Amino acid sequence: MDLRLRSETFGADDQSWLGSEHGTQATESITLDTSTFTAATHYPDGYFKSGLPLGRITATGKYGLYNAGGADGTETLVGFLFAAVAAPTDNTVDVAGAMFTHGKVRSSRLPVAVDAAGQADVAGSIRFV
């Protein structure tokens, strides 16, 4: 285990999709299944962008990109990636992240659009403005 202090820079993390500060202090720690994301689309700059919509993969308990047409659990929106996370060069390596599950979201500023079904999945905990 490497416990040396280090810092990473991901460029400018665009969190303009957050509609308010509410909920930002209560994010959940999660594991992203990188195989559910497409490098050129979801992490072209070497990092997963904050605001990516997430679903929980039933078989593994890990989180992948929300997919309304999925059948593995990702068809249910459960939250959004709160902050940018470095993407591995090998898409079989999972990474840790934080998930935003409560508050306001500016839908027009999300890096990936969320349909009406996804918005209904989180109604009561996330309000889209």
Side-chain angles (χ1 to χ4, degrees):
M1 176 182 279
D2 182 5
L3 298 175
R4 290 177 286 170
L5 184 61
R6 65 180 179 175
S7 65
E8 296 179 89
T9 304
F10 304 114
D13 186 16
D14 181 7
Q15 289 187 320
S16 64
W17 59 273
L18 288 167
S20 72
E21 183 183 335
H22 182 79
T24 62
Q25 300 298 317
T27 59
E28 297 178 24
S29 296
I30 60 167
T31 301
L32 293 176
D33 181 340
T34 59
S35 67
T36 67
F37 299 87
T38 304
T41 305
H42 304 117
Y43 55 98
D45 301 322
Y47 64 92
F48 295 102
K49 296 178 179 181
S50 67
L52 287 172
L54 302 173
R56 186 174 181 273
I57 301 167
T58 308
T60 63
K62 298 174 186 174
Y63 292 82
L65 187 68
Y66 165 70
N67 176 7
D72 61 352
T74 58
E75 69 276 9
T76 303
L77 179 67
V78 294
F80 295 89
L81 186 61
F82 176 65
V85 176
T89 54
D90 177 359
N91 81 340
T92 63
V93 176
D94 299 330
V95 296
M99 185 171 61
F100 179 78
T101 59
H102 185 80
K104 290 183 194 174
V105 169
R106 292 184 178 129
S107 31
S108 64
R109 303 227 180 198
L110 289 169
V112 175
V114 174
D115 61 5
Q119 291 184 21
D121 291 338
V122 292
S125 60
I126 293 179
R127 188 168 62 120
F128 292 86
V129 294

